[in-house]
Amino acid sequence: MAVICVFCSASPRIPEAYRLVATEVGLALASAGHTVLTGGGSRGAMGAVTAAARAAGGGTVGILPTGLLDREIPDPDTELHLVPSMERRKELMGERSDAFVVLPGGIGTLDELFGEWANRAVDAHDKPIVIVDPDGLFTSLRQQIDLLAQKGLVRGSALTAVKWAASAAEVVDFLPPTISHSQGMEASTMVHEA
């Protein structure tokens, strides 16, 4: 069973179309036998992807900094790991995931994406990274990265390290059917981690 980390918005203000994309991705990942790991929130795309994964019989895990307990209301139905900082959250997400899926999101989502993209570019891991762009939201981002590559600031291997998907079905196509890199998550509903 693979653990797929989904980077996405926890904001309740996101457009409904992005919530629907998150639902489709959660269903697709769980139907393919994957566990979904998120930031542990219950709202926005984050809540939609985990609710959909559970509805399809999949497992869900969240890693939530204690400082965000009030802002990213914890998902009561997920295996929740509380950590002291955003940096620790990202570190554990990286360690415990077999692949990364990026849904429409804001600065935090981009921070998570670029952290794992940079790790992959320097061969810190070889885990798949898939960006889901259903409506062209990330077109300018993709163009900027292409421009950086044209100017010699980004290696070609970094460009090919990321796959771009327009739908949930494409996401699953980009993920290997079985992966076994991840470290196991403790079987409890809430764990405080250092």
Side-chain angles (χ1 to χ4, degrees):
M1 179 183 297
V3 176
I4 311 299
C5 183
V6 179
F7 297 138
C8 59
S9 176
S11 171
R13 300 180 306 277
I14 64 169
E16 183 61 22
Y18 296 152
R19 198 173 280 108
L20 292 174
V21 168
T23 296
E24 292 169 2
V25 167
L27 288 170
L29 292 175
S31 296
H34 301 307
T35 294
V36 172
L37 187 154
T38 68
S42 62
R43 300 186 300 176
M46 200 177 291
V49 74
T50 54
R54 285 192 300 272
T60 59
V61 178
I63 301 176
L64 182 64
T66 54
L68 292 180
L69 280 168
D70 293 334
R71 290 181 58 191
E72 292 184 13
I73 299 169
D75 185 335
D77 298 316
T78 201
E79 177 185 316
L80 190 63
H81 297 256
L82 298 176
V83 294
S85 67
M86 291 292 284
E87 288 306 311
R88 184 64 178 142
R89 173 200 246 180
K90 290 187 289 186
E91 181 181 10
L92 283 180
M93 285 177 152
E95 289 174 3
R96 296 183 175 186
S97 299
D98 297 304
F100 305 94
V101 172
V102 183
L103 299 179
I107 293 170
T109 300
L110 292 176
D111 175 49
E112 292 162 337
L113 162 63
F114 280 115
E116 291 307 331
W117 198 345
N119 284 335
R120 171 107 191 225
V122 298
D123 299 323
H125 69 73
D126 63 352
K127 300 173 185 180
I129 301 171
V130 183
I131 299 173
V132 183
D133 190 3
D135 65 357
L137 177 71
F138 291 127
T139 298
S140 59
L141 172 65
R142 192 172 186 179
Q143 291 170 338
Q144 181 63 51
I145 299 298
D146 287 343
L147 178 61
L148 292 172
Q150 291 169 20
K151 300 289 187 182
L153 299 169
V154 172
R155 290 178 292 153
S157 60
L159 291 181
T160 59
V162 171
K163 305 298 182 191
W164 298 82
S167 69
E170 288 181 12
V171 170
V172 174
D173 288 343
F174 287 130
L175 301 175
T178 58
I179 314 172
S180 60
H181 300 112
S182 67
Q183 298 177 13
M185 301 298 257
E186 291 84 351
S188 64
T189 56
M190 187 178 294
V191 177
H192 286 267
E193 303 207 16

